Coordinates of all heavy atoms in Angstrom, one line a residue:
H30 N 13.0 100.7 37.4 CA 13.7 101.2 36.2 C 13.0 100.6 35.0 O 12.6 99.4 35.1 CB 15.1 100.9 36.3 CG 15.9 101.6 37.2 ND1 15.5 101.9 38.6 CD2 17.1 102.2 37.2 CE1 16.3 102.5 39.2 NE2 17.5 102.8 38.4
T31 N 13.1 101.2 34.0 CA 12.6 100.8 32.7 C 13.9 100.5 31.8 O 14.8 101.0 32.2 CB 11.6 101.5 32.0 OG1 12.2 102.8 31.7 CG2 10.3 101.8 32.8
H32 N 13.7 99.8 30.7 CA 14.7 99.6 29.9 C 14.2 100.1 28.4 O 13.1 100.3 28.2 CB 15.2 98.2 29.7 CG 14.1 97.4 29.0 ND1 13.1 96.7 29.6 CD2 14.1 96.9 27.6 CE1 12.4 96.1 28.6 NE2 13.0 96.2 27.5
R33 N 15.2 100.4 27.6 CA 14.9 100.9 26.3 C 15.8 100.1 25.3 O 16.9 99.7 25.7 CB 15.0 102.4 26.0 CG 16.4 102.9 26.1 CD 16.4 104.4 26.1 NE 17.8 104.9 26.1 CZ 18.5 105.1 25.1 NH1 18.2 104.9 24.0 NH2 19.9 105.6 25.3
S34 N 15.2 99.8 24.2 CA 15.9 99.1 23.2 C 16.6 100.1 22.2 O 16.0 101.2 21.9 CB 15.0 98.3 22.3 OG 14.4 97.3 23.1
V35 N 17.9 99.8 21.9 CA 18.6 100.6 21.0 C 18.9 99.8 19.7 O 19.5 98.8 19.7 CB 19.9 101.1 21.6 CG1 20.8 102.1 20.6 CG2 19.7 101.9 22.9
A36 N 18.4 100.2 18.5 CA 18.6 99.5 17.2 C 20.1 99.5 16.9 O 20.8 100.5 16.9 CB 17.9 100.3 16.2
V37 N 20.5 98.3 16.5 CA 21.9 98.1 16.0 C 21.7 97.6 14.6 O 21.1 96.7 14.3 CB 22.7 97.1 16.9 CG1 24.0 96.8 16.3 CG2 22.7 97.7 18.2
V38 N 22.5 98.1 13.7 CA 22.5 97.6 12.3 C 23.7 96.7 12.0 O 24.9 97.4 12.0 CB 22.4 98.7 11.2 CG1 22.4 98.3 9.9 CG2 21.1 99.7 11.4
P39 N 23.5 95.5 11.9 CA 24.7 94.6 11.7 C 25.3 94.7 10.3 O 24.6 95.1 9.4 CB 24.2 93.2 11.9 CG 22.7 93.3 11.8 CD 22.4 94.7 12.2
T40 N 26.6 94.5 10.2 CA 27.2 94.5 8.9 C 26.7 93.3 8.0 O 26.0 92.3 8.6 CB 28.7 94.3 9.0 OG1 29.0 93.0 9.6 CG2 29.3 95.4 9.9
A41 N 26.9 93.4 6.7 CA 26.5 92.3 5.9 C 27.0 90.9 6.4 O 26.4 89.9 6.4 CB 26.8 92.6 4.6
Q42 N 28.3 90.8 6.8 CA 28.9 89.6 7.2 C 28.2 89.2 8.6 O 28.0 88.0 8.6 CB 30.4 89.9 7.4 CG 31.1 88.5 7.9 CD 31.0 87.3 6.9 OE1 31.2 87.6 5.7 NE2 30.6 86.2 7.3
Q43 N 27.9 90.1 9.4 CA 27.3 89.7 10.7 C 25.9 89.1 10.5 O 25.4 88.2 11.1 CB 27.2 90.8 11.6 CG 28.5 91.4 12.3 CD 28.4 92.8 12.9 OE1 27.7 93.6 12.5 NE2 29.1 92.8 13.9
Q44 N 25.2 89.8 9.5 CA 23.9 89.3 9.1 C 23.9 87.8 8.5 O 23.2 87.0 9.0 CB 23.3 90.2 8.0 CG 22.9 91.5 8.6 CD 22.1 92.4 7.5 OE1 21.4 91.9 6.8 NE2 22.4 93.7 7.5
L45 N 24.9 87.6 7.8 CA 25.1 86.2 7.2 C 25.4 85.2 8.3 O 24.9 84.1 8.4 CB 26.2 86.2 6.1 CG 25.9 86.9 4.8 CD1 27.1 87.0 3.9 CD2 24.8 86.2 4.0
T46 N 26.2 85.6 9.2 CA 26.7 84.8 10.4 C 25.3 84.4 11.2 O 25.1 83.2 11.6 CB 27.8 85.4 11.2 OG1 28.9 85.6 10.5 CG2 28.0 84.7 12.5
V47 N 24.5 85.5 11.5 CA 23.4 85.2 12.4 C 22.4 84.3 11.6 O 21.8 83.4 12.2 CB 22.8 86.6 12.7 CG1 21.3 86.5 13.1 CG2 23.6 87.4 13.5
L48 N 22.2 84.6 10.3 CA 21.3 83.7 9.6 C 21.7 82.2 9.5 O 20.8 81.3 9.2 CB 21.0 84.3 8.2 CG 20.1 85.6 8.3 CD1 19.9 86.3 6.9 CD2 18.7 85.3 9.0
A49 N 23.0 82.0 9.5 CA 23.5 80.7 9.6 C 23.4 79.8 10.9 O 23.6 78.7 11.0 CB 25.0 80.6 9.1
A50 N 23.0 80.7 11.9 CA 22.7 80.0 13.2 C 21.7 78.9 13.2 O 20.9 78.8 12.4 CB 22.3 81.1 14.3
D51 N 21.8 77.9 14.2 CA 20.8 76.9 14.3 C 19.4 77.3 14.8 O 18.4 76.7 14.7 CB 21.4 75.8 15.1 CG 22.4 75.0 14.5 OD1 22.5 74.9 13.2 OD2 23.3 74.7 15.2
A52 N 19.5 78.4 15.7 CA 18.3 78.8 16.4 C 18.5 80.3 16.9 O 19.5 80.9 16.8 CB 18.2 78.0 17.7
V53 N 17.3 80.9 17.1 CA 17.2 82.3 17.6 C 16.3 82.3 18.7 O 15.2 81.4 18.7 CB 16.8 83.2 16.6 CG1 15.4 83.0 16.0 CG2 17.0 84.6 17.1
V54 N 16.5 83.1 19.7 CA 15.6 83.1 20.9 C 15.1 84.5 21.0 O 16.0 85.5 21.1 CB 16.3 82.7 22.2 CG1 15.5 82.9 23.5 CG2 16.8 81.2 22.1
F55 N 13.9 84.8 21.2 CA 13.5 86.1 21.5 C 12.7 86.1 22.9 O 11.9 85.3 23.3 CB 12.3 86.5 20.5 CG 12.6 86.6 19.0 CD1 12.2 85.7 18.0 CD2 13.5 87.6 18.6 CE1 12.7 85.8 16.8 CE2 13.9 87.7 17.4 CZ 13.6 86.8 16.3
T56 N 13.2 87.1 23.6 CA 12.7 87.3 25.0 C 11.6 88.4 25.1 O 11.2 88.7 26.1 CB 13.8 87.5 26.0 OG1 14.4 88.7 25.6 CG2 14.7 86.2 26.0
S57 N 11.3 89.1 23.9 CA 10.3 90.1 23.9 C 9.8 90.3 22.6 O 10.5 90.1 21.5 CB 10.9 91.4 24.5 OG 11.8 92.0 23.6
G58 N 8.6 90.9 22.4 CA 8.1 91.2 21.1 C 8.9 92.4 20.5 O 8.9 92.3 19.2
T59 N 9.5 93.1 21.2 CA 10.3 94.2 20.7 C 11.6 93.7 20.0 O 11.9 94.2 18.9 CB 10.8 95.1 21.9 OG1 9.6 95.7 22.4 CG2 11.6 96.3 21.3
Q60 N 12.1 92.6 20.5 CA 13.2 91.9 19.9 C 12.7 91.4 18.5 O 13.5 91.3 17.5 CB 13.8 90.8 20.7 CG 14.6 91.4 21.8 CD 15.0 90.2 22.7 OE1 14.6 89.0 22.7 NE2 15.9 90.5 23.7
A61 N 11.6 90.8 18.4 CA 11.0 90.2 17.2 C 10.8 91.3 16.2 O 11.3 91.2 15.0 CB 9.8 89.3 17.4
D62 N 10.4 92.4 16.6 CA 10.1 93.6 15.7 C 11.5 94.0 15.1 O 11.6 94.4 13.9 CB 9.4 94.7 16.4 CG 7.9 94.4 16.6 OD1 7.3 93.5 16.0 OD2 7.3 94.9 17.6
A63 N 12.5 94.1 16.0 CA 13.8 94.7 15.6 C 14.4 93.6 14.5 O 15.0 94.0 13.7 CB 14.7 94.8 16.8
W64 N 14.2 92.3 14.9 CA 14.7 91.3 13.9 C 14.1 91.5 12.6 O 14.7 91.6 11.5 CB 14.4 90.0 14.4 CG 14.7 88.8 13.6 CD1 14.2 88.4 12.5 CD2 15.9 87.9 13.6 NE1 14.9 87.3 11.8 CE2 15.9 87.1 12.5 CE3 17.0 88.0 14.5 CZ2 16.9 86.3 12.4 CZ3 18.1 87.1 14.4 CH2 18.0 86.2 13.2
V65 N 12.7 91.8 12.5 CA 12.0 91.8 11.2 C 12.6 93.1 10.5 O 12.7 93.1 9.2 CB 10.6 92.0 11.4 CG1 9.8 92.3 10.1 CG2 10.1 90.5 11.8
N66 N 12.8 94.1 11.2 CA 13.4 95.4 10.7 C 14.7 95.1 9.9 O 15.0 95.8 9.0 CB 13.6 96.6 11.7 CG 12.2 97.1 12.1 OD1 11.3 97.0 11.3 ND2 12.2 97.7 13.3
I67 N 15.6 94.2 10.4 CA 16.8 94.0 9.8 C 16.7 92.7 8.8 O 17.2 92.8 7.7 CB 18.0 93.4 10.9 CG1 18.1 94.7 11.8 CG2 19.2 93.1 10.3 CD1 18.8 95.9 11.3
F68 N 16.2 91.6 9.3 CA 16.1 90.3 8.4 C 14.9 90.0 7.7 O 14.7 89.1 7.0 CB 16.4 89.2 9.3 CG 17.8 89.4 10.0 CD1 18.0 89.8 11.4 CD2 19.1 89.1 9.4 CE1 19.2 89.8 11.9 CE2 20.3 89.1 9.9 CZ 20.3 89.6 11.3
G69 N 13.8 90.9 7.8 CA 12.5 90.4 7.4 C 12.1 89.1 8.2 O 12.4 89.1 9.3
T70 N 11.3 88.3 7.6 CA 10.7 87.2 8.2 C 11.7 85.9 8.1 O 11.3 84.9 8.6 CB 9.3 86.9 7.7 OG1 9.3 86.7 6.4 CG2 8.5 88.0 8.2
T71 N 12.9 86.1 7.6 CA 13.9 85.1 7.5 C 14.4 84.8 8.7 O 14.8 85.8 9.4 CB 15.0 85.4 6.4 OG1 14.3 85.8 5.2 CG2 16.0 84.3 6.3
A72 N 14.5 83.6 9.2 CA 15.0 83.2 10.5 C 15.7 81.9 10.4 O 15.4 81.1 9.6 CB 13.9 83.2 11.6
P73 N 16.6 81.5 11.5 CA 17.1 80.2 11.6 C 16.0 79.2 11.7 O 14.8 79.5 12.0 CB 18.0 80.3 12.8 CG 18.3 81.7 12.9 CD 17.1 82.4 12.4
P74 N 16.3 77.8 11.4 CA 15.4 76.9 11.4 C 14.5 76.8 12.8 O 13.3 76.3 12.8 CB 16.1 75.6 11.2 CG 17.5 75.9 10.8 CD 17.6 77.4 11.3
I75 N 15.1 77.1 13.9 CA 14.5 76.9 15.2 C 14.2 78.3 15.8 O 15.4 79.0 15.9 CB 15.2 76.0 16.1 CG1 15.3 74.7 15.6 CG2 14.5 76.0 17.4 CD1 16.3 73.8 16.3
V76 N 12.9 78.7 16.1 CA 12.8 80.0 16.7 C 12.1 79.7 18.1 O 11.0 79.0 18.0 CB 11.8 80.8 15.8 CG1 11.5 82.2 16.6 CG2 12.5 81.2 14.5
A77 N 12.7 80.2 19.1 CA 12.1 80.0 20.5 C 11.9 81.3 21.0 O 12.5 82.4 20.8 CB 13.2 79.2 21.3
T78 N 10.8 81.3 22.0 CA 10.5 82.5 22.8 C 10.4 82.1 24.3 O 10.3 80.9 24.7 CB 9.1 83.0 22.2 OG1 8.1 82.1 22.8 CG2 9.1 83.3 20.8
I79 N 10.4 83.2 25.0 CA 10.4 83.1 26.5 C 9.0 82.8 27.0 O 8.9 82.5 28.2 CB 11.1 84.4 27.1 CG1 11.6 83.9 28.5 CG2 10.1 85.5 27.0 CD1 12.5 85.0 29.1
G80 N 8.0 82.9 26.1 CA 6.7 82.7 26.7 C 5.5 82.9 25.6 O 5.9 83.4 24.6
P81 N 4.4 82.7 26.0 CA 3.2 82.9 25.0 C 2.9 84.2 24.6 O 2.7 84.4 23.3 CB 2.1 82.3 25.6 CG 2.4 82.0 27.1 CD 3.9 82.1 27.3
Q82 N 3.1 85.2 25.3 CA 2.9 86.5 24.9 C 4.0 87.0 23.7 O 3.7 87.5 22.8 CB 3.0 87.5 26.0 CG 2.8 89.0 25.6 CD 2.8 89.9 26.8 OE1 2.8 89.5 28.0 NE2 2.8 91.2 26.6
T83 N 5.2 86.5 24.0 CA 6.3 86.8 23.0 C 6.0 86.0 21.8 O 6.2 86.5 20.7 CB 7.6 86.6 23.6 OG1 7.8 87.3 24.9 CG2 8.8 86.9 22.7
T84 N 5.4 84.8 22.0 CA 5.3 83.9 20.8 C 4.2 84.6 19.9 O 4.3 84.7 18.6 CB 4.8 82.5 21.1 OG1 5.9 81.8 21.7 CG2 4.1 81.8 20.0
R85 N 3.1 85.2 20.5 CA 2.0 85.9 19.8 C 2.7 87.1 19.0 O 2.4 87.3 17.9 CB 1.0 86.3 20.8 CG 0.0 85.2 21.1 CD -1.2 85.7 21.8 NE -0.9 86.3 23.0 CZ -0.6 85.6 24.2 NH1 -0.7 84.4 24.3 NH2 -0.4 86.4 25.3
K86 N 3.4 87.8 19.8 CA 4.0 89.0 19.1 C 5.0 88.7 18.0 O 5.1 89.3 16.9 CB 4.6 89.9 20.1 CG 3.7 90.7 21.1 CD 4.4 91.4 22.1 CE 3.3 92.1 22.9 NZ 4.0 93.0 24.0
T87 N 5.7 87.7 18.1 CA 6.7 87.2 17.2 C 6.0 86.7 15.9 O 6.3 86.9 14.8 CB 7.6 86.1 17.7 OG1 8.3 86.5 18.9 CG2 8.7 85.5 16.7
E88 N 4.9 85.9 16.2 CA 4.2 85.5 15.0 C 3.4 86.4 14.3 O 3.2 86.4 13.1 CB 3.3 84.2 15.4 CG 4.1 83.0 15.8 CD 3.4 81.7 16.1 OE1 2.3 81.9 16.4 OE2 4.1 80.6 15.9
R89 N 2.9 87.5 15.1 CA 2.2 88.6 14.4 C 3.3 89.4 13.6 O 2.8 89.9 12.6 CB 1.7 89.5 15.4 CG 0.1 89.6 15.5 CD -0.4 90.6 16.4 NE -0.8 89.9 17.7 CZ -0.4 90.2 18.9 NH1 0.2 91.4 19.0 NH2 -0.8 89.5 20.0
A90 N 4.5 89.4 14.0 CA 5.4 90.0 13.1 C 5.8 89.2 11.8 O 6.6 89.7 11.0 CB 6.9 90.2 14.0
G91 N 5.4 87.9 11.8 CA 5.6 87.1 10.6 C 6.5 85.9 10.7 O 6.9 85.4 9.7
I92 N 7.1 85.7 11.9 CA 8.1 84.7 12.2 C 7.4 83.5 12.9 O 6.7 83.7 13.9 CB 9.2 85.3 13.0 CG1 9.8 86.5 12.3 CG2 10.1 84.2 13.4 CD1 10.9 87.2 13.2
K93 N 7.6 82.3 12.1 CA 6.9 81.1 12.9 C 7.9 80.7 14.0 O 9.0 80.6 13.9 CB 7.0 80.0 11.8 CG 6.2 78.7 12.3 CD 6.2 77.8 11.2 CE 5.5 76.5 11.5 NZ 5.1 76.1 12.9
V94 N 7.1 80.4 15.1 CA 7.8 79.9 16.4 C 7.6 78.5 16.6 O 6.5 77.9 16.5 CB 7.2 80.8 17.6 CG1 7.9 80.1 18.9 CG2 7.4 82.2 17.5
Q95 N 8.6 77.8 16.8 CA 8.7 76.2 17.1 C 8.7 76.1 18.6 O 8.2 74.9 19.0 CB 10.0 75.6 16.4 CG 9.8 75.6 14.9 CD 10.2 76.8 14.2 OE1 11.1 77.6 14.8 NE2 9.7 77.1 13.1
V96 N 9.2 76.9 19.3 CA 9.4 76.5 20.8 C 8.9 77.7 21.7 O 9.5 78.8 21.4 CB 10.9 76.2 21.2 CG1 11.0 75.9 22.6 CG2 11.4 75.1 20.2
T97 N 8.0 77.4 22.6 CA 7.7 78.5 23.6 C 7.8 77.9 25.1 O 7.4 76.9 25.3 CB 6.2 78.8 23.4 OG1 5.9 79.2 22.1 CG2 5.7 79.9 24.3
A98 N 8.6 78.6 25.8 CA 9.0 78.3 27.1 C 7.7 78.3 28.0 O 7.0 79.3 27.9 CB 10.0 79.1 27.6
A99 N 7.5 77.3 28.7 CA 6.5 77.3 29.8 C 6.8 78.1 31.0 O 6.0 78.7 31.6 CB 6.1 75.9 30.1
D100 N 8.1 77.9 31.2 CA 8.7 78.8 32.5 C 9.4 79.9 31.8 O 10.3 79.9 31.1 CB 9.7 78.0 33.2 CG 10.5 78.7 34.2 OD1 10.1 79.9 34.6 OD2 11.5 78.1 34.8
H101 N 8.8 81.1 32.1 CA 9.1 82.4 31.4 C 10.5 83.0 32.0 O 10.4 84.1 32.5 CB 8.1 83.3 31.4 CG 6.7 82.7 31.0 ND1 5.4 83.4 31.5 CD2 6.4 81.7 30.5 CE1 4.5 82.6 31.0 NE2 5.1 81.6 30.2
S102 N 11.4 82.1 31.7 CA 12.9 82.6 32.2 C 13.9 82.1 31.2 O 13.6 81.3 30.3 CB 13.2 82.0 33.6 OG 13.3 80.6 33.5
L103 N 15.1 82.5 31.3 CA 16.1 82.1 30.5 C 16.4 80.6 30.6 O 16.4 79.8 29.5 CB 17.4 82.9 30.6 CG 18.6 82.6 29.5 CD1 18.0 82.7 28.1 CD2 19.7 83.4 29.8
S104 N 16.4 80.2 31.9 CA 16.6 78.7 32.0 C 15.3 77.8 31.5 O 15.6 76.8 30.9 CB 16.7 78.3 33.5 OG 15.8 78.8 34.2
G105 N 14.1 78.5 31.5 CA 12.9 77.9 30.9 C 13.0 77.7 29.4 O 12.6 76.7 28.8
V106 N 13.6 78.8 28.7 CA 13.8 78.6 27.3 C 14.8 77.5 27.0 O 14.7 76.8 26.1 CB 14.3 79.9 26.8 CG1 14.7 79.9 25.3 CG2 13.3 81.1 26.9
V107 N 15.8 77.4 27.8 CA 16.9 76.5 27.6 C 16.3 75.1 27.7 O 16.5 74.3 26.9 CB 18.1 76.6 28.6 CG1 19.0 75.4 28.4 CG2 18.8 77.9 28.2
R108 N 15.4 74.8 28.8 CA 14.8 73.6 28.9 C 13.8 73.3 27.7 O 13.8 72.1 27.4 CB 14.1 73.6 30.4 CG 15.0 73.3 31.5 CD 14.2 73.0 32.8 NE 13.2 74.1 33.2 CZ 13.7 75.2 33.8 NH1 14.9 75.3 34.2 NH2 12.7 76.1 34.2
A109 N 13.0 74.2 27.4 CA 12.2 74.1 26.3 C 12.8 73.8 25.0 O 12.5 72.8 24.3 CB 11.3 75.3 26.1
M110 N 14.1 74.4 24.7 CA 14.8 74.0 23.6 C 15.4 72.5 23.6 O 15.4 71.8 22.7 CB 16.0 75.0 23.4 CG 15.6 76.4 23.0 SD 15.3 76.4 21.2 CE 16.8 76.2 20.6
E111 N 15.9 72.2 24.8 CA 16.3 70.8 25.0 C 15.3 69.8 24.8 O 15.5 68.8 24.0 CB 16.9 70.7 26.5 CG 18.1 71.4 26.7 CD 18.5 71.4 28.2 OE1 17.6 71.1 29.2 OE2 19.7 71.4 28.6
G112 N 14.0 70.1 25.3 CA 12.9 69.1 25.0 C 12.6 69.0 23.4 O 12.4 68.0 23.0
F113 N 12.6 70.2 22.8 CA 12.2 70.2 21.4 C 13.3 69.5 20.6 O 13.0 68.7 19.7 CB 12.3 71.8 20.9 CG 12.0 71.8 19.5 CD1 10.8 71.8 19.0 CD2 13.1 72.0 18.7 CE1 10.6 71.9 17.5 CE2 12.9 72.3 17.3 CZ 11.7 72.2 16.8
L114 N 14.7 69.6 21.0 CA 15.6 69.0 20.2 C 15.6 67.5 20.5 O 16.0 66.7 19.6 CB 17.0 69.6 20.5 CG 17.2 71.1 20.1 CD1 18.5 71.7 20.6 CD2 17.2 71.1 18.5
R115 N 15.3 67.0 21.7 CA 15.1 65.6 22.0 C 14.0 65.1 21.2 O 14.2 63.9 20.8 CB 14.9 65.4 23.5 CG 16.2 65.3 24.3 CD 15.9 64.7 25.8 NE 15.1 65.5 26.5 CZ 15.4 66.6 27.3 NH1 16.7 66.9 27.4 NH2 14.5 67.3 28.0
R116 N 12.9 65.7 21.0 CA 11.8 65.2 20.3 C 12.0 65.2 18.7 O 11.4 64.4 18.0 CB 10.5 65.9 20.6 CG 10.1 65.7 22.0 CD 8.7 66.4 22.1 NE 8.7 67.9 21.9 CZ 9.1 68.8 22.8 NH1 9.5 68.5 24.0 NH2 9.0 70.1 22.5
S117 N 12.9 66.1 18.2 CA 13.3 66.1 16.8 C 14.1 65.0 16.3 O 14.8 64.2 16.9 CB 14.0 67.5 16.5 OG 13.2 68.6 16.9

């Protein structure tokens, strides 16, 4: 099976809430593109991705990535974020 992304346009209040977050995690380049379509390149202070391919696509979209998971899974992203926060 394949999946498809469906664009959602958040309300102004939802956009403000999202931008006030401490971090955002992208698990695909498509998510990063969708983010840029809504928020431009403005992002929370910490941007994490599920792996190097997603990091490349996210940075190509204009968003700087601080954390890239070595283990390309959700638990890998969590571990990478924990490591990043411990070092900060």
